Amino acid sequence: MNYKIILASNSPRRKELLKGLDIDFEVRIISDIDETFPSDIPPNEIPVFLARKKADVYCATMKPDELIITADTVVVLDNDILEKPADREDAIRMLQRLSGQKHQVITAVALTTTAKRTEFSVISTVDFAELTDEEIEYYVERYKPFDKAGAYGIQEWIGYVGVRSIEGSFYNIMGLPIQRLYQELKNIYFC
């Protein structure tokens, strides 16, 4: 079946990445989805839990010919989740913690139709160089990374000057493991 693809995300980065696959899709947003998770859930399971939770909300409005893409990204440092920063000070604190450290970025995706759901997650490791307080403050003031898990966008200035290396998918760190998503969409369309 040829599905109408719906991206359930307002993220400009996810829209840009999905657009790069040259497939038609539309964006559908349901506001105020509860993104809380149980405190005892392991960090690597949180994105799958949240992608599934988002998909469950969209199921009520789905049509049989639609495929909904939901996703969630978390940044994990020393088993702590670095979510989107609450404000400027929180963003600075997060970047100070990431400075000189390796951390994981985990993105989970749920592909949901009325008949089936496929879920997967991808882990990338990012190694940050030591950043000065001045560099961190410059980035936060200029780029205002308040809508980004871990308070940074790898595709922005901080990624240019601060990322020593990555293991895994660059696009996963941006918020959507696009190569894996493409493979999963091919499986749904052509299996």
Side-chain angles (χ1 to χ4, degrees), residues 145-170:
F146 308 122
D147 66 335
K148 296 172 176 71
Y152 79 94
I154 194 166
Q155 72 281 6
E156 296 174 338
W157 181 85
I158 198 88
Y160 299 159
V161 302
V163 174
R164 276 194 285 236
S165 66
I166 65 169
E167 295 172 34
S169 167
F170 173 83

PDB file of all heavy atoms in Angstrom, residues 145-170:
ATOM      1  N   PRO A 145      19.800  27.904  21.883  1.00  0.00           N
ATOM      2  CA  PRO A 145      19.477  26.487  21.659  1.00  0.00           C
ATOM      3  C   PRO A 145      18.460  25.912  22.647  1.00  0.00           C
ATOM      4  O   PRO A 145      18.632  24.801  23.161  1.00  0.00           O
ATOM      5  CB  PRO A 145      20.840  25.821  21.817  1.00  0.00           C
ATOM      6  CG  PRO A 145      21.506  26.639  22.881  1.00  0.00           C
ATOM      7  CD  PRO A 145      21.078  28.054  22.590  1.00  0.00           C
ATOM      8  N   PHE A 146      17.398  26.646  22.911  1.00  0.00           N
ATOM      9  CA  PHE A 146      16.453  26.247  23.947  1.00  0.00           C
ATOM     10  C   PHE A 146      15.468  25.178  23.488  1.00  0.00           C
ATOM     11  O   PHE A 146      14.759  24.609  24.302  1.00  0.00           O
ATOM     12  CB  PHE A 146      15.710  27.481  24.471  1.00  0.00           C
ATOM     13  CG  PHE A 146      16.653  28.582  24.883  1.00  0.00           C
ATOM     14  CD1 PHE A 146      16.567  29.835  24.306  1.00  0.00           C
ATOM     15  CD2 PHE A 146      17.656  28.356  25.819  1.00  0.00           C
ATOM     16  CE1 PHE A 146      17.446  30.845  24.670  1.00  0.00           C
ATOM     17  CE2 PHE A 146      18.536  29.358  26.184  1.00  0.00           C
ATOM     18  CZ  PHE A 146      18.441  30.604  25.607  1.00  0.00           C
ATOM     19  N   ASP A 147      15.428  24.906  22.183  1.00  0.00           N
ATOM     20  CA  ASP A 147      14.541  23.863  21.668  1.00  0.00           C
ATOM     21  C   ASP A 147      15.302  22.590  21.318  1.00  0.00           C
ATOM     22  O   ASP A 147      14.797  21.731  20.612  1.00  0.00           O
ATOM     23  CB  ASP A 147      13.789  24.372  20.436  1.00  0.00           C
ATOM     24  CG  ASP A 147      14.708  24.647  19.247  1.00  0.00           C
ATOM     25  OD1 ASP A 147      15.913  24.906  19.457  1.00  0.00           O
ATOM     26  OD2 ASP A 147      14.218  24.601  18.103  1.00  0.00           O
ATOM     27  N   LYS A 148      16.535  22.466  21.831  1.00  0.00           N
ATOM     28  CA  LYS A 148      17.379  21.337  21.462  1.00  0.00           C
ATOM     29  C   LYS A 148      17.787  20.528  22.696  1.00  0.00           C
ATOM     30  O   LYS A 148      18.253  21.093  23.687  1.00  0.00           O
ATOM     31  CB  LYS A 148      18.637  21.826  20.751  1.00  0.00           C
ATOM     32  CG  LYS A 148      18.344  22.524  19.432  1.00  0.00           C
ATOM     33  CD  LYS A 148      19.591  23.156  18.849  1.00  0.00           C
ATOM     34  CE  LYS A 148      19.316  23.758  17.504  1.00  0.00           C
ATOM     35  NZ  LYS A 148      18.494  24.956  17.554  1.00  0.00           N
ATOM     36  N   ALA A 149      17.617  19.223  22.617  1.00  0.00           N
ATOM     37  CA  ALA A 149      18.079  18.349  23.693  1.00  0.00           C
ATOM     38  C   ALA A 149      19.579  18.560  23.884  1.00  0.00           C
ATOM     39  O   ALA A 149      20.331  18.644  22.916  1.00  0.00           O
ATOM     40  CB  ALA A 149      17.794  16.889  23.352  1.00  0.00           C
ATOM     41  N   GLY A 150      20.003  18.683  25.134  1.00  0.00           N
ATOM     42  CA  GLY A 150      21.417  18.897  25.415  1.00  0.00           C
ATOM     43  C   GLY A 150      21.889  20.308  25.153  1.00  0.00           C
ATOM     44  O   GLY A 150      23.059  20.611  25.302  1.00  0.00           O
ATOM     45  N   ALA A 151      21.005  21.192  24.733  1.00  0.00           N
ATOM     46  CA  ALA A 151      21.298  22.619  24.513  1.00  0.00           C
ATOM     47  C   ALA A 151      22.279  22.886  23.373  1.00  0.00           C
ATOM     48  O   ALA A 151      23.004  23.867  23.400  1.00  0.00           O
ATOM     49  CB  ALA A 151      21.800  23.273  25.807  1.00  0.00           C
ATOM     50  N   TYR A 152      22.290  22.002  22.371  1.00  0.00           N
ATOM     51  CA  TYR A 152      23.145  22.312  21.217  1.00  0.00           C
ATOM     52  C   TYR A 152      22.615  21.660  19.950  1.00  0.00           C
ATOM     53  O   TYR A 152      21.914  20.659  19.992  1.00  0.00           O
ATOM     54  CB  TYR A 152      24.592  21.889  21.465  1.00  0.00           C
ATOM     55  CG  TYR A 152      24.865  20.412  21.285  1.00  0.00           C
ATOM     56  CD1 TYR A 152      25.318  19.904  20.067  1.00  0.00           C
ATOM     57  CD2 TYR A 152      24.691  19.518  22.332  1.00  0.00           C
ATOM     58  CE1 TYR A 152      25.578  18.553  19.903  1.00  0.00           C
ATOM     59  CE2 TYR A 152      24.949  18.171  22.182  1.00  0.00           C
ATOM     60  CZ  TYR A 152      25.394  17.689  20.959  1.00  0.00           C
ATOM     61  OH  TYR A 152      25.639  16.349  20.796  1.00  0.00           O
ATOM     62  N   GLY A 153      22.975  22.281  18.829  1.00  0.00           N
ATOM     63  CA  GLY A 153      22.725  21.720  17.511  1.00  0.00           C
ATOM     64  C   GLY A 153      24.067  21.462  16.847  1.00  0.00           C
ATOM     65  O   GLY A 153      24.847  22.391  16.641  1.00  0.00           O
ATOM     66  N   ILE A 154      24.342  20.213  16.521  1.00  0.00           N
ATOM     67  CA  ILE A 154      25.651  19.857  15.954  1.00  0.00           C
ATOM     68  C   ILE A 154      25.893  20.565  14.628  1.00  0.00           C
ATOM     69  O   ILE A 154      27.039  20.801  14.246  1.00  0.00           O
ATOM     70  CB  ILE A 154      25.797  18.329  15.817  1.00  0.00           C
ATOM     71  CG1 ILE A 154      27.255  17.959  15.555  1.00  0.00           C
ATOM     72  CG2 ILE A 154      24.860  17.779  14.745  1.00  0.00           C
ATOM     73  CD1 ILE A 154      27.581  16.502  15.729  1.00  0.00           C
ATOM     74  N   GLN A 155      24.823  20.945  13.926  1.00  0.00           N
ATOM     75  CA  GLN A 155      24.944  21.596  12.625  1.00  0.00           C
ATOM     76  C   GLN A 155      25.213  23.093  12.761  1.00  0.00           C
ATOM     77  O   GLN A 155      25.384  23.779  11.766  1.00  0.00           O
ATOM     78  CB  GLN A 155      23.688  21.344  11.791  1.00  0.00           C
ATOM     79  CG  GLN A 155      22.450  22.094  12.258  1.00  0.00           C
ATOM     80  CD  GLN A 155      21.739  21.471  13.456  1.00  0.00           C
ATOM     81  OE1 GLN A 155      22.200  20.511  14.056  1.00  0.00           O
ATOM     82  NE2 GLN A 155      20.595  22.046  13.811  1.00  0.00           N
ATOM     83  N   GLU A 156      25.296  23.592  13.990  1.00  0.00           N
ATOM     84  CA  GLU A 156      25.525  25.012  14.233  1.00  0.00           C
ATOM     85  C   GLU A 156      26.980  25.265  14.653  1.00  0.00           C
ATOM     86  O   GLU A 156      27.786  24.347  14.749  1.00  0.00           O
ATOM     87  CB  GLU A 156      24.564  25.502  15.333  1.00  0.00           C
ATOM     88  CG  GLU A 156      23.116  25.407  14.917  1.00  0.00           C
ATOM     89  CD  GLU A 156      22.141  25.740  16.025  1.00  0.00           C
ATOM     90  OE1 GLU A 156      22.497  25.651  17.219  1.00  0.00           O
ATOM     91  OE2 GLU A 156      21.005  26.087  15.690  1.00  0.00           O
ATOM     92  N   TRP A 157      27.282  26.494  14.958  1.00  0.00           N
ATOM     93  CA  TRP A 157      28.631  26.949  15.300  1.00  0.00           C
ATOM     94  C   TRP A 157      29.288  26.054  16.345  1.00  0.00           C
ATOM     95  O   TRP A 157      30.451  25.679  16.202  1.00  0.00           O
ATOM     96  CB  TRP A 157      28.563  28.405  15.784  1.00  0.00           C
ATOM     97  CG  TRP A 157      29.879  28.996  16.148  1.00  0.00           C
ATOM     98  CD1 TRP A 157      30.772  29.578  15.300  1.00  0.00           C
ATOM     99  CD2 TRP A 157      30.467  29.057  17.448  1.00  0.00           C
ATOM    100  NE1 TRP A 157      31.879  30.005  15.991  1.00  0.00           N
ATOM    101  CE2 TRP A 157      31.709  29.695  17.320  1.00  0.00           C
ATOM    102  CE3 TRP A 157      30.054  28.636  18.712  1.00  0.00           C
ATOM    103  CZ2 TRP A 157      32.551  29.923  18.401  1.00  0.00           C
ATOM    104  CZ3 TRP A 157      30.890  28.856  19.788  1.00  0.00           C
ATOM    105  CH2 TRP A 157      32.121  29.498  19.626  1.00  0.00           C
ATOM    106  N   ILE A 158      28.550  25.685  17.372  1.00  0.00           N
ATOM    107  CA  ILE A 158      29.123  24.865  18.451  1.00  0.00           C
ATOM    108  C   ILE A 158      29.629  23.521  17.920  1.00  0.00           C
ATOM    109  O   ILE A 158      30.627  22.995  18.392  1.00  0.00           O
ATOM    110  CB  ILE A 158      28.109  24.671  19.607  1.00  0.00           C
ATOM    111  CG1 ILE A 158      28.818  24.223  20.890  1.00  0.00           C
ATOM    112  CG2 ILE A 158      27.014  23.693  19.252  1.00  0.00           C
ATOM    113  CD1 ILE A 158      29.307  25.334  21.737  1.00  0.00           C
ATOM    114  N   GLY A 159      28.936  22.981  16.925  1.00  0.00           N
ATOM    115  CA  GLY A 159      29.385  21.732  16.320  1.00  0.00           C
ATOM    116  C   GLY A 159      30.678  21.907  15.547  1.00  0.00           C
ATOM    117  O   GLY A 159      31.552  21.047  15.556  1.00  0.00           O
ATOM    118  N   TYR A 160      30.809  23.042  14.880  1.00  0.00           N
ATOM    119  CA  TYR A 160      32.023  23.326  14.110  1.00  0.00           C
ATOM    120  C   TYR A 160      33.238  23.437  15.015  1.00  0.00           C
ATOM    121  O   TYR A 160      34.315  22.936  14.697  1.00  0.00           O
ATOM    122  CB  TYR A 160      31.897  24.630  13.324  1.00  0.00           C
ATOM    123  CG  TYR A 160      30.792  24.679  12.295  1.00  0.00           C
ATOM    124  CD1 TYR A 160      30.321  25.909  11.859  1.00  0.00           C
ATOM    125  CD2 TYR A 160      30.213  23.541  11.751  1.00  0.00           C
ATOM    126  CE1 TYR A 160      29.311  26.002  10.910  1.00  0.00           C
ATOM    127  CE2 TYR A 160      29.206  23.635  10.816  1.00  0.00           C
ATOM    128  CZ  TYR A 160      28.765  24.845  10.392  1.00  0.00           C
ATOM    129  OH  TYR A 160      27.770  24.941   9.451  1.00  0.00           O
ATOM    130  N   VAL A 161      33.090  24.132  16.131  1.00  0.00           N
ATOM    131  CA  VAL A 161      34.250  24.418  16.979  1.00  0.00           C
ATOM    132  C   VAL A 161      34.415  23.433  18.132  1.00  0.00           C
ATOM    133  O   VAL A 161      35.499  23.324  18.686  1.00  0.00           O
ATOM    134  CB  VAL A 161      34.207  25.861  17.556  1.00  0.00           C
ATOM    135  CG1 VAL A 161      34.136  26.880  16.431  1.00  0.00           C
ATOM    136  CG2 VAL A 161      33.075  26.048  18.554  1.00  0.00           C
ATOM    137  N   GLY A 162      33.344  22.725  18.481  1.00  0.00           N
ATOM    138  CA  GLY A 162      33.411  21.921  19.694  1.00  0.00           C
ATOM    139  C   GLY A 162      33.428  20.423  19.523  1.00  0.00           C
ATOM    140  O   GLY A 162      33.837  19.707  20.438  1.00  0.00           O
ATOM    141  N   VAL A 163      32.993  19.905  18.374  1.00  0.00           N
ATOM    142  CA  VAL A 163      32.892  18.458  18.230  1.00  0.00           C
ATOM    143  C   VAL A 163      34.183  17.893  17.658  1.00  0.00           C
ATOM    144  O   VAL A 163      34.544  18.164  16.519  1.00  0.00           O
ATOM    145  CB  VAL A 163      31.672  18.070  17.366  1.00  0.00           C
ATOM    146  CG1 VAL A 163      31.662  16.567  17.103  1.00  0.00           C
ATOM    147  CG2 VAL A 163      30.383  18.509  18.034  1.00  0.00           C
ATOM    148  N   ARG A 164      34.883  17.114  18.498  1.00  0.00           N
ATOM    149  CA  ARG A 164      36.126  16.459  18.053  1.00  0.00           C
ATOM    150  C   ARG A 164      35.843  15.307  17.115  1.00  0.00           C
ATOM    151  O   ARG A 164      36.524  15.128  16.114  1.00  0.00           O
ATOM    152  CB  ARG A 164      36.900  15.941  19.261  1.00  0.00           C
ATOM    153  CG  ARG A 164      37.767  16.950  19.933  1.00  0.00           C
ATOM    154  CD  ARG A 164      38.739  16.273  20.891  1.00  0.00           C
ATOM    155  NE  ARG A 164      38.053  15.850  22.090  1.00  0.00           N
ATOM    156  CZ  ARG A 164      38.400  16.219  23.322  1.00  0.00           C
ATOM    157  NH1 ARG A 164      39.421  17.014  23.512  1.00  0.00           N
ATOM    158  NH2 ARG A 164      37.726  15.777  24.354  1.00  0.00           N
ATOM    159  N   SER A 165      34.845  14.502  17.496  1.00  0.00           N
ATOM    160  CA  SER A 165      34.528  13.339  16.664  1.00  0.00           C
ATOM    161  C   SER A 165      33.133  12.841  17.006  1.00  0.00           C
ATOM    162  O   SER A 165      32.582  13.159  18.057  1.00  0.00           O
ATOM    163  CB  SER A 165      35.551  12.212  16.889  1.00  0.00           C
ATOM    164  OG  SER A 165      35.456  11.711  18.214  1.00  0.00           O
ATOM    165  N   ILE A 166      32.614  12.054  16.080  1.00  0.00           N
ATOM    166  CA  ILE A 166      31.350  11.362  16.334  1.00  0.00           C
ATOM    167  C   ILE A 166      31.498   9.918  15.887  1.00  0.00           C
ATOM    168  O   ILE A 166      32.255   9.602  14.967  1.00  0.00           O
ATOM    169  CB  ILE A 166      30.149  12.018  15.621  1.00  0.00           C
ATOM    170  CG1 ILE A 166      30.283  11.938  14.103  1.00  0.00           C
ATOM    171  CG2 ILE A 166      29.937  13.430  16.071  1.00  0.00           C
ATOM    172  CD1 ILE A 166      29.016  12.335  13.357  1.00  0.00           C
ATOM    173  N   GLU A 167      30.774   9.049  16.582  1.00  0.00           N
ATOM    174  CA  GLU A 167      30.649   7.648  16.171  1.00  0.00           C
ATOM    175  C   GLU A 167      29.170   7.439  15.903  1.00  0.00           C
ATOM    176  O   GLU A 167      28.345   7.669  16.781  1.00  0.00           O
ATOM    177  CB  GLU A 167      31.108   6.713  17.282  1.00  0.00           C
ATOM    178  CG  GLU A 167      32.584   6.803  17.623  1.00  0.00           C
ATOM    179  CD  GLU A 167      32.917   5.992  18.865  1.00  0.00           C
ATOM    180  OE1 GLU A 167      32.283   4.935  19.083  1.00  0.00           O
ATOM    181  OE2 GLU A 167      33.792   6.433  19.621  1.00  0.00           O
ATOM    182  N   GLY A 168      28.844   7.044  14.685  1.00  0.00           N
ATOM    183  CA  GLY A 168      27.449   6.838  14.347  1.00  0.00           C
ATOM    184  C   GLY A 168      26.947   7.901  13.392  1.00  0.00           C
ATOM    185  O   GLY A 168      27.716   8.603  12.755  1.00  0.00           O
ATOM    186  N   SER A 169      25.640   8.026  13.333  1.00  0.00           N
ATOM    187  CA  SER A 169      24.987   8.889  12.359  1.00  0.00           C
ATOM    188  C   SER A 169      24.998  10.352  12.789  1.00  0.00           C
ATOM    189  O   SER A 169      24.496  10.701  13.853  1.00  0.00           O
ATOM    190  CB  SER A 169      23.534   8.429  12.170  1.00  0.00           C
ATOM    191  OG  SER A 169      22.790   9.402  11.463  1.00  0.00           O
ATOM    192  N   PHE A 170      25.534  11.207  11.933  1.00  0.00           N
ATOM    193  CA  PHE A 170      25.488  12.654  12.135  1.00  0.00           C
ATOM    194  C   PHE A 170      24.034  13.132  12.178  1.00  0.00           C
ATOM    195  O   PHE A 170      23.646  13.956  13.008  1.00  0.00           O
ATOM    196  CB  PHE A 170      26.250  13.346  11.005  1.00  0.00           C
ATOM    197  CG  PHE A 170      26.146  14.849  11.011  1.00  0.00           C
ATOM    198  CD1 PHE A 170      26.979  15.605  11.812  1.00  0.00           C
ATOM    199  CD2 PHE A 170      25.218  15.505  10.214  1.00  0.00           C
ATOM    200  CE1 PHE A 170      26.889  17.001  11.828  1.00  0.00           C
ATOM    201  CE2 PHE A 170      25.124  16.893  10.220  1.00  0.00           C
ATOM    202  CZ  PHE A 170      25.961  17.636  11.032  1.00  0.00           C
TER     203      PHE A 170
END
